[in-house]
């Protein structure tokens, strides 16, 4: 069953309310390919490896969380950028990307999907006064030790997290924000939660965790952001009657 790419993108823009976000990149259609879409491939980042895999899979549309044309990057389409875009155009693949709208969405967002995977009960936003809070806060079903939570995260994400122990109390309340949100740790501290989970880590984060007595987990930028784009791709396939395949290009970061 074929769907016009313009119809699919308009549906996504409305579903994710993408126009409401001041983002670091354009959301929606970034590179135009063939007019009609039957097969969608989704993945985290529009790397050359993912483009090649999508082309091999016969994709008409590549749906990603990390696309192109980031704020502050060089404008000329040369080198790596030229090779990626050329490959998309040669194969007629539409590139569609959603960044912050896919982090925040209440059903398909990365943070909601991570909570669902982990079995965490959502109680509010990491920024309680912000209706579009990127991160979330919630509770574990059962209290866990710091080491037990690290083991659970590693098991569910298939990637061992970096665990920094800020205290030895049982963990019940957690806050989280997928990707590179280590700078939000002080927002988690202000909420009084027992632990903060994100994707990446920076040098100052360790000191904050120890001195503010909060357990910190860097569970992987890629690993924590696999689930939103996959869920959105599955939804589009069901809604429009399309074929969908999620392709995971491993990234240890």
């Amino acid at each position: 069953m074929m769907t016009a790419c313009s119809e699919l993108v308009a549906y996504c823009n409305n579903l994710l309310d993408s126009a409401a976000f001041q983002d670091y990149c354009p959301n929606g259609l970034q590179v135009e390919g063939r007019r009609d879409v039957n097969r969608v491939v989704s993945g985290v980042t529009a790397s050359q490896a993912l483009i090649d895999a999508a082309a091999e899979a016969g994709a008409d549309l590549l749906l990603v969380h990390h696309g192109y044309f980031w704020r502050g990057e060089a404008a000329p389409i040369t080198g790596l950028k030229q090779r990626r875009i050329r490959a998309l155009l040669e194969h007629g693949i539409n590139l569609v990307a959603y960044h912050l709208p896919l982090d925040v969405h209440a059903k398909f967002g990365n943070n909601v999907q991570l909570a669902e995977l982990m079995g965490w009960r959502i109680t509010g936003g990491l920024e309680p006064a912000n209706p579009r809070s990127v991160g979330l806060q919630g509770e574990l079903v059962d209290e866990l030790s710091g080491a037990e939570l690290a083991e659970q995260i590693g098991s569910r994400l298939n990637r061992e997290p970096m665990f920094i122990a800020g205290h030895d109390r049982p963990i019940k309340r957690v806050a989280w924000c997928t990707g590179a949100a280590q700078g939000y740790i002080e927002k988690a501290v202000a909420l009084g939660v027992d632990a903060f989970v994100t994707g990446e880590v920076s040098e100052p984060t360790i000191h904050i965790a120890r001195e503010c007595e909060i357990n910190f987990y860097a569970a992987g930028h890629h690993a924590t952001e696999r689930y939103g784009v996959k869920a959105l791709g599955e939804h589009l396939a069901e809604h429009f009657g399309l074929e969908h395949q999620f392709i995971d290009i491993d990234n240890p970061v």
Side-chain angles (χ1 to χ4, degrees):
M1 184 174 179
M2 304 295 284
T3 299
C5 180
S6 59
E7 180 183 351
L8 188 148
V9 171
Y11 176 83
C12 288
N13 288 344
N14 181 64
L15 177 70
L16 302 177
D17 195 19
S18 60
F21 292 84
Q22 295 295 317
D23 211 336
Y24 311 102
C25 61
N27 288 292
L29 182 64
Q30 293 190 337
V31 177
E32 186 176 10
R34 58 181 64 94
R35 177 185 180 278
D36 294 321
V37 173
N38 176 58
R39 185 165 183 78
V40 174
V41 165
S42 62
V44 178
T45 299
S47 63
Q48 188 69 56
L50 181 59
I51 294 168
D52 292 344
E56 185 175 350
D60 303 304
L61 186 146
L62 179 57
L63 176 67
V64 298
H65 181 49
H66 300 139
Y68 301 155
F69 313 116
W70 297 93
R71 184 190 305 163
E73 73 176 21
I77 307 213
T78 59
L80 176 150
K81 186 188 295 186
Q82 184 268 355
R83 292 191 296 273
R84 290 176 172 180
I85 293 175
R86 181 181 63 189
L88 289 165
L89 294 174
E90 285 178 349
H91 292 283
I93 300 173
N94 295 280
L95 178 64
V96 176
Y98 292 98
H99 186 234
L100 289 181
L102 193 57
D103 285 319
V104 170
H105 194 266
K107 182 174 181 181
F108 303 113
N110 284 318
N111 287 292
V112 169
Q113 289 293 316
L114 180 61
E116 185 173 315
L117 178 73
M118 295 301 303
W120 298 337
R121 185 175 72 86
I122 298 169
T123 58
L126 179 58
E127 303 166 288
N130 181 1
R132 292 194 177 91
S133 175
V134 176
L136 297 171
Q137 60 173 305
E139 296 180 344
L140 309 186
V141 175
D142 300 304
E143 289 186 348
L144 296 174
S145 69
E148 287 171 336
L149 180 55
E151 183 179 355
Q152 186 183 77
I153 292 170
S155 174
R156 301 283 171 87
L157 298 183
N158 197 29
R159 180 195 185 278
E160 183 179 354
M162 174 181 283
F163 166 41
I164 303 301
H167 61 80
D168 58 5
R169 304 184 305 274
I171 297 173
K172 181 65 174 179
R173 296 181 60 217
V174 294
W176 64 95
C177 187
T178 63
Q182 60 269 41
Y184 283 10
I185 186 173
E186 289 179 277
K187 295 181 184 294
V189 170
L191 293 174
V193 298
D194 304 307
F196 179 57
V197 181
T198 187
E200 297 188 22
V201 62
S202 298
E203 194 272 347
T205 316
I206 309 302
H207 302 294
I208 295 169
R210 289 171 176 166
E211 294 174 33
C212 294
E213 298 185 350
I214 185 171
N215 283 0
F216 173 80
Y217 301 83
H221 192 140
H222 177 88
T224 57
E225 294 196 327
R226 285 186 293 230
Y227 305 101
V229 72
K230 182 175 183 288
L232 180 59
E234 290 171 348
H235 171 73
L236 295 176
E238 180 179 357
H239 183 80
F240 288 101
L242 306 174
E243 298 175 17
H244 170 253
Q245 179 183 359
F246 174 75
I247 297 178
D248 188 23
I249 304 297
D250 182 59
N251 188 326
V253 171

